[in-house]
Amino acid sequence: MLKLILRLCGLLIVLGSVKGLAQVPTADRIKVIETNLSLLAGQSPGLKQKVQLNVSGLPMRDYLNALARATGVNISTDPSLTGPVFDTFNGVTAAEVLAFLAYKYSLDINVTGSIILVTPYNPPVSVLPLLPRNINASYDKIAGTLSLELNNDSLRSVARRITAISGKNVVVPVPLQEKTLSGFIAAAPFDAALDKIAFVNNLKVSRTADGFYVFQALEENEENYINGEKNTATRRFARSPQGKPQSAGVFARMSGGKKLLSAEAFNTPIDDLLRQASSEAGKNYVLYTDLKGSITLHVNDVSYETFLSMLLKNTEYSFRQDDGVYFIGDRKVTGVATFKTVKLRRRAVDSTLMRSLPSEITNGLQIQPFRELNAILLSGSAMKVNEAEAVIRQLDELVPVVLIELTMIDVHKNRVVSTGITAGIADSVKTGGKILPGINYTFGSKSINDFLGSVGKLTSLNLGHVTPNFYASVNALESQGNVEVRSVPKLSSLNGHPASFSIGKRAYYKDVTQSIYPGLSNPTSQFTNVYKEVNADLSVNINPVVSDNEQVTLSIKINISDFLNLPTDGSPPPQAISKYETSLRVKSEDTILLGGIERTESNESASGIPLLSRIPVLKWIFSSRTKTNDKVVTLLLIKSTIIR
């Protein structure tokens, strides 16, 4: 209670003192004005000149202007002096008129050099000093939380109280020390509490690198807002040509020793955003051309170069950085173009890589391979060069090699049947031959005559005799064969590149061309022989594609051709052709079997006596026949192994 009474007494004493100070006597004020005018009269004799004025309802400014013209005194009047004057003066000096007007109409007269300034008189307003208040703030050192209950408390007092209870330095610039704060925060983290109390009072707070917290006033065109991440932040807004504020702002913050930019803009001129971003990031730039157009964007924590790329993308402008200065202008301007050499580390410079670059990136960009350094030289705008480099870096991956092992097995199955009787005359032919397996037996003349005699005895028919040199051969033979041919070639190929294998034989046939040349008597013919080649081979084409899960997709093409026979008349040899094409997926080091590639060849030939060789039953006696059936089955085993 005693403290309250003492405070009230002190307040009454202060109020009494202020009241006494606020009462400034009018007579003293007019006396000061008369003294100043008397001193000026030495320089302006017109103040001592006696005048005669009779006005009624004339505005104060016009009245003073007329006085100045009549006396030659320099008088400047405040535009707010518009009230009417109703006075009549005879035989008084101009100084006395001015002093009387200051007294009657509450004017203030100040002298600057030889110029008299007349303004309305504003009595001094005394400011009641603020009494120290107890700031309701508490800090939990264990949890690191701050609680505040403020109601029009000065920022200076709040900062002092927070520093005292937390041990953390909170600094307030001199112009903001009397700024009042209001707000209630309960047990919030220290940084968040300061940030939110600044947010609600249109301030901003920053933490310096040495651990100090500094309150700052919002700059021109700055405002507090809640960003897309639901956090409080500060942004700048630009003004349209009509003077209306637009939602646009760029601000920077330090992160990891680098300045990162955040921006939010809606239909904002590009050049405005460029100026703000360069100012926030502290970057120097040179503009070759005026930047036209507007943009809407929202970005958080990006570098200055990334921000420029976003700002100028899909426009006719680009930029180049040289010695810390950014040159910005039209893409066609020479000063904006840049050059960069991109070295490949994992793959070689080839046509496949060059064709893989999208046309949207290569348009307006010169790309030159430099195979000696396994590099690509890029020339063009910096944005295009950076985009092309990013794509090339993504394509610069280690290309796996696929080892392909082929095991080819050809199984030949043939069946030959030969039948017939052969007769003739020869010297010293003996009876004999094979009976098993197959019959291939030759009878001499003695054996034949004995046979004919036995038949005559049994049938009472005389079949006669053959000459001593006559012989006859009987042939009835059937043969089968299985032949297996095996080949194991190994191929290797880069991922996505085909591997081929071919093995076979080549034959030639004669192509005869007749050319007729007309002559005076008889035409002349000329024959030209050209030998042309024809191939019969087994060719395998495999294109491997490696997937991320260690699987290989194989596109397989197989062509098999073979000669049926080789004609002796020079005509093209007939061929048997088989084709096989498939696509399948296998795991690395797995083996697949491709079968069913089968070829069947049939050939039947006969020779004998004309007419008799075509009569049923008799044809078996008077002809020899050979029938051949040949079947070829090809088996293909493929094993693919990924080599990284």
Side-chain angles (χ1 to χ4, degrees):
M1 178 62 72
L2 180 60
K3 290 184 178 179
L4 179 59
I5 293 174
L6 292 176
R7 286 185 180 180
L8 290 176
C9 293
L11 179 61
L12 292 174
I13 294 173
V14 170
L15 290 175
S17 301
V18 171
K19 184 177 180 181
L21 292 174
Q23 295 176 354
V24 179
T26 303
D28 294 342
R29 183 176 68 84
I30 299 302
K31 194 169 186 177
V32 171
I33 293 175
E34 291 176 345
T35 302
N36 292 335
L37 293 176
S38 177
L39 295 175
L40 182 62
Q43 300 180 10
S44 299
L47 290 172
K48 299 179 181 180
Q49 181 179 342
K50 293 184 178 182
V51 296
Q52 182 176 352
L53 298 173
N54 185 8
V55 296
S56 178
L58 186 69
M60 178 65 73
R61 291 184 61 189
D62 296 341
Y63 184 83
L64 293 174
N65 290 335
L67 180 62
R69 287 193 297 269
T71 59
V73 178
N74 298 319
I75 299 177
S76 175
T77 59
D78 189 271
S80 63
L81 297 177
T82 58
V85 178
F86 299 89
D87 290 306
T88 301
F89 299 105
N90 291 310
V92 295
T93 63
E96 293 173 341
V97 172
L98 291 174
F100 177 77
L101 293 176
Y103 171 76
K104 182 179 179 180
Y105 296 101
S106 297
L107 300 180
D108 191 12
I109 297 177
N110 296 295
V111 177
T112 303
S114 62
I115 300 174
I116 299 173
L117 176 63
V118 182
T119 60
Y121 174 68
N122 296 316
V125 179
S126 300
V127 179
L128 186 65
L130 295 177
L131 296 177
R133 296 181 56 180
N134 184 23
I135 305 300
N136 190 358
S138 62
Y139 180 72
D140 187 344
K141 294 185 178 181
I142 298 177
T145 57
L146 178 65
S147 299
L148 296 171
E149 185 176 356
L150 308 177
N151 184 15
N152 291 328
D153 294 305
S154 67
L155 180 56
R156 175 184 57 187
S157 302
V158 173
R160 184 181 301 165
R161 176 63 176 168
I162 293 176
T163 301
I165 63 177
S166 66
K168 298 182 180 181
N169 295 308
V170 180
V171 181
V172 179
V174 174
L176 294 179
Q177 293 204 356
E178 300 304 324
K179 168 76 175 176
T180 59
L181 302 182
S182 296
F184 176 78
I185 295 176
F190 187 84
D191 290 8
L194 291 186
D195 181 69
K196 298 305 181 292
I197 204 67
F199 178 83
V200 298
N201 289 278
N202 288 328
L203 297 172
K204 60 182 179 180
V205 63
S206 302
R207 187 176 188 273
T208 62
D210 51 1
F212 281 73
Y213 293 87
V214 182
F215 278 92
Q216 297 173 288
L218 295 179
E219 298 180 5
E220 185 180 2
N221 294 341
E222 272 192 344
E223 63 180 0
N224 289 331
Y225 79 112
I226 299 177
N227 59 25
E229 298 178 354
K230 306 303 180 183
N231 293 324
T232 56
T234 304
R235 67 182 176 188
R236 285 192 175 95
F237 59 89
R239 292 190 178 271
S240 65
Q242 293 78 18
K244 298 180 180 179
Q246 293 178 324
S247 177
V250 181
F251 60 93
R253 73 178 185 90
M254 295 297 297
S255 178
K258 296 182 180 180
K259 275 192 175 181
L260 300 180
L261 296 175
S262 298
E264 185 165 343
F266 176 76
N267 196 24
T268 305
I270 295 177
D271 54 351
D272 288 350
L273 292 175
L274 174 63
R275 284 194 294 270
Q276 293 182 41
S278 301
S279 175
E280 288 287 334
K283 300 294 184 179
N284 301 319
Y285 68 93
V286 176
L287 273 180
Y288 287 106
T289 54
D290 294 334
L291 303 182
K292 299 178 181 179
S294 301
I295 191 173
T296 299
L297 58 82
H298 172 78
V299 294
N300 286 318
D301 294 341
V302 297
S303 65
Y304 181 75
E305 287 197 2
T306 303
F307 183 81
L308 282 186
S309 299
M310 294 179 178
L311 197 64
L312 304 179
K313 191 173 184 179
N314 296 328
T315 67
E316 58 186 9
Y317 310 112
S318 182
F319 70 92
R320 176 177 65 87
Q321 189 268 348
D322 188 10
D323 197 21
V325 180
Y326 290 83
F327 299 90
I328 304 170
D330 194 284
R331 296 176 185 269
K332 300 178 183 178
V333 176
T334 305
V336 180
T338 186
F339 304 89
K340 182 173 286 188
T341 301
V342 182
K343 291 186 177 181
L344 302 182
R345 299 179 179 179
R346 299 178 179 85
R347 62 178 304 166
V349 176
D350 53 15
S351 58
T352 302
L353 177 62
M354 305 295 287
R355 291 194 305 268
S356 300
L357 298 177
S359 59
E360 291 81 1
I361 295 178
T362 57
N363 287 338
L365 194 65
Q366 293 184 356
I367 303 177
Q368 185 66 34
F370 195 67
R371 291 182 171 83
E372 286 78 1
L373 294 178
N374 195 35
I376 298 177
L377 178 62
L378 304 176
S379 173
S381 66
M383 294 173 58
K384 285 284 188 180
V385 168
N386 292 336
E387 290 177 359
E389 181 186 11
V391 174
I392 293 174
R393 294 299 183 195
Q394 293 178 7
L395 297 177
D396 186 20
E397 295 291 340
L398 185 63
V399 180
V401 176
V402 180
L403 175 64
I404 302 174
E405 300 178 59
L406 298 177
T407 302
M408 295 181 294
I409 302 175
D410 280 347
V411 179
H412 293 262
K413 296 182 179 181
N414 62 343
R415 180 172 178 270
V416 181
V417 179
S418 299
T419 59
I421 299 175
T422 303
I425 297 175
D427 295 334
S428 64
V429 177
K430 296 182 179 180
T431 299
K434 295 190 303 180
I435 298 177
L436 292 175
I439 299 174
N440 188 6
Y441 199 84
T442 301
F443 295 91
S445 58
K446 183 176 183 304
S447 300
I448 295 174
N449 288 330
D450 292 341
F451 175 73
L452 293 176
S454 300
V455 172
K457 292 180 179 180
L458 294 175
T459 60
S460 299
L461 294 176
N462 186 7
L463 298 178
H465 293 80
V466 297
T467 61
N469 295 329
F470 184 82
Y471 73 92
S473 297
V474 179
N475 184 22
L477 179 63
E478 179 177 354
S479 62
Q480 293 182 357
N482 293 326
V483 180
E484 181 177 315
V485 180
R486 182 181 178 126
S487 176
V488 187
K490 292 185 179 181
L491 309 175
S492 61
S493 174
L494 288 175
N495 182 30
H497 291 257
S500 300
F501 171 78
S502 178
I503 186 172
K505 51 189 175 181
R506 178 178 298 170
Y508 294 88
Y509 66 92
K510 184 171 64 174
D511 186 9
V512 181
T513 303
Q514 181 181 6
S515 301
I516 301 177
Y517 301 96
L520 296 177
S521 57
N522 294 320
T524 304
S525 298
Q526 181 178 356
F527 293 91
T528 303
N529 297 329
V530 178
Y531 289 90
K532 296 184 177 181
E533 66 180 32
V534 60
N535 296 323
D537 53 17
L538 168 64
S539 63
V540 179
N541 184 287
I542 301 177
N543 190 1
V545 177
V546 178
S547 304
D548 291 337
N549 54 359
E550 296 297 315
Q551 292 192 345
V552 184
T553 300
L554 300 176
S555 297
I556 304 172
K557 294 182 180 179
I558 301 174
N559 292 325
I560 301 175
S561 60
D562 199 1
F563 296 126
L564 298 179
N565 54 63
L566 296 176
T568 58
D569 57 356
S571 60
Q575 287 183 298
I577 300 176
S578 300
K579 293 184 178 181
Y580 185 87
E581 183 173 348
T582 187
S583 295
L584 47 88
R585 184 184 296 111
V586 296
K587 288 187 177 181
S588 179
E589 299 185 8
D590 283 358
T591 302
I592 60 172
L593 172 64
L594 299 180
I597 307 176
E598 184 177 303
R599 306 188 305 276
T600 302
E601 301 173 3
S602 298
N603 186 22
E604 186 173 350
S605 60
S607 61
I609 299 174
L611 296 179
L612 296 178
S613 63
R614 289 180 289 174
I615 298 175
V617 180
L618 293 178
K619 66 181 181 180
W620 300 103
I621 300 175
F622 297 100
S623 65
S624 296
R625 298 179 177 274
T626 302
K627 186 177 182 180
T628 304
N629 290 324
D630 196 357
K631 179 185 291 186
V632 181
V633 179
T634 301
L635 302 177
L636 189 62
L637 299 174
I638 302 177
K639 179 182 179 182
S640 56
T641 304
I642 300 175
I643 302 176
R644 297 187 183 272

